[in-house]
Structure formats: structure tokens, C-alpha cells
Amino acid sequence: MRKTHALVQVAMALLEDPTGKHWGYELSKQAGVRSGVMYPMLTRMLDEGWLTDGWEDEATIREKRPARRYYELTDKGRLQLGAVLQEARSDARFRGLNWRFA
Amino acid sequence: MTELFEAVASWPTLLLVLLVFGFAPGFVLRLLVLAYPRSDPRRRELISELYTVPRIQRPLWVAEQLEVALFEGLAHRASAAIRSFNRQRRALTQTDKRAVRRGTMIRMTVVWAVGGIVGGILDWGTTVGLGAMVVAETVLLAGVLLTERRRRSARARRRF
């Protein structure tokens, strides 16, 4: 996958909680990436096997809304995105980013 | 061009946009997700995400989804259509191909001729005329392909 600012930002947001569930809207807010860029990226990550997806359990929803789709990082995804961040750290193109992930 | 700008920036248009995106974002979103193939989970995902977006941000968020639907949904549909078209083309025999080509050429000539006559009578501008022709040609081509598919499946049924 091409290393872009958006990919690095999404990688940072995902790796802030590497074992947790990530939701589309929250992820886009957290990463600061428009949904028009993020959703196609999530699809590519699913195709690559970096993410798995699932649907929220309807029994656990308290509000009146449909179940949401969540994304979880796979082991491969953790490795790959970790490598993306490692490379991006030493890349001058990404110097301006706000590095949150250690 | 100026007329177009005036039409887009006019008060009625602004009110319509506010009405559609501001008061019925759910409805607009449900229309937008139709761009995705029926089996695509993104359809359900976007609708369910809408309820977690703060109310004030919903119109803008829905407008953003137009981009997602156009670039992701329509792209999926287009690639599926191209795949199916190529599959159909490969399945056609040489005689079928010749017949389709001849049929298409005849129909296209008729459309151009009729379009030219109607356009001349109605005094269409060049842009409108060409636009209408392109739409007509596309519809025609889709018709030719569908007819051919139906004919082939009927032939296959007969062979059974």
C-alpha cells in the first residue's frame, strides 16, 4: 500500500489501541482523515488481511440505532502498520505529523 | 457559465440543499448508499454510523459520503459491470460477435439519424444535442447487450 499522510495517520490511530475495536466515524475523527479517504483505505486493509471486521452485538446497544461495523487489527496488520510507522518516522515527508504513537 | 453559477448560488437552491441535507440526512444517505452493490457491507455500515455522528455535523458528514459513494460504490459497480461484460464477450461465438457488431452499427446509425432530424426540428444547441445522443447511445448499447444475453440464455435453455 502506498505510504501517504492519510495512511500514516490512520496507522497511528489504529495502533493507539492495537487490540481494541475501531469504529469508522471515531477512527476518522481520531486520525483526522476524511471519510472519503478513510473508507477506501479500510477496504484495502481488509483485502490485505491487516484488519478484520465484525458487527456490534445488537443486545449490547442501549440507544435506538442499528448495529455498527467495527474493525480490529490482525497480527499481520499490527506488524505491517508498525513497519509503516517506523519507516515514516525517518521519512522527511512526515516530519510535520503529530506523532502520538511511541 | 454565469447562469449556471447564478442558479447554483441562488436562494432557492441553498434552501433546497439545507432542506435535503439538513432535515433529511438519513433519507439522502439511504439514497447515496444505493451506489454500492447490494451485497456490500458498506451500505449498512454508513447508515449505522450516521446515528453516532452528532446531529449538527450530520448534514456535512452525509455530504462527505457522496464522495465515498461515488468513488468507492460506483467504482465497485463499474468494475463488476466490466467484468461481466468481458465474460459475456468471451462467451460469444465469432458469428454472435459479428451479428452484435452489425446490429449495433445499424441501430447507432438510426439513432444518429433520428437524433439529427429531431435536433434540427427542435433547434437544439450542440451541447444538448450531443449529450442527448450520448445518453441514447449508452441506453441503446445496454439494450443490445441485454437482448444478446437474453437470446443466449434462451438458446442455452433450448439446448437443454
Side-chain angles (χ1 to χ4, degrees), chain B residues 73-93:
Chain B
L74 283 187
H76 281 185
R77 273 192 186 270
S79 61
I82 289 169
R83 262 201 311 274
S84 129
F85 176 74
N86 284 339
R87 231 187 352 255
Q88 279 177 30
R89 219 179 46 176
R90 270 197 299 273
L92 287 177
T93 63

Side-chain angles (χ1 to χ4, degrees), chain B residues 37-103:
Chain B
R38 201 175 291 232
S39 57
D40 199 318
R42 190 78 79 217
R43 266 193 185 194
R44 217 178 114 198
E45 180 184 9
L46 289 180
I47 292 170
S48 59
E49 284 293 332
L50 175 72
Y51 296 92
T52 58
V53 180
R55 253 175 211 284
I56 193 102
Q57 289 174 17
R58 280 184 194 176
L60 200 68
W61 188 82
V62 170
E64 255 183 50
Q65 300 323 303
L66 176 66
E67 182 195 356
V68 185
L70 283 180
F71 284 94
E72 218 190 9
L74 283 187
H76 281 185
R77 273 192 186 270
S79 61
I82 289 169
R83 262 201 311 274
S84 129
F85 176 74
N86 284 339
R87 231 187 352 255
Q88 279 177 30
R89 219 179 46 176
R90 270 197 299 273
L92 287 177
T93 63
Q94 209 55 36
T95 329
D96 286 339
K97 275 183 192 165
R98 229 173 295 145
V100 169
R101 226 174 289 142
R102 198 173 42 232

Side-chain angles (χ1 to χ4, degrees), chain B residues 111-126:
Chain B
V111 166
W112 277 104
V114 172
I117 292 164
V118 174
I121 292 168
L122 296 179
D123 199 19
W124 282 346
T126 321

Side-chain angles (χ1 to χ4, degrees), chain A residues 23-26 29 34-37 39-43 53 55 58 64-69 71, chain B residues 30 36 40-42 44-49 51-54 57 61 64-65 67-68 71-72 76:
Chain A
W23 316 92
Y25 177 68
E26 271 102 19
K29 283 277 145 194
R34 280 182 308 116
S35 44
V37 176
Y39 281 117
M41 193 181 287
L42 290 179
T43 308
D53 64 334
W55 291 90
E58 300 225 2
K64 206 180 155 197
R65 60 168 176 82
R68 284 187 296 162
R69 189 185 187 188
Y71 300 90
Chain B
R30 277 171 179 83
Y36 288 95
D40 199 318
R42 190 78 79 217
R44 217 178 114 198
E45 180 184 9
L46 289 180
I47 292 170
S48 59
E49 284 293 332
Y51 296 92
T52 58
V53 180
Q57 289 174 17
W61 188 82
E64 255 183 50
Q65 300 323 303
E67 182 195 356
V68 185
F71 284 94
E72 218 190 9
H76 281 185

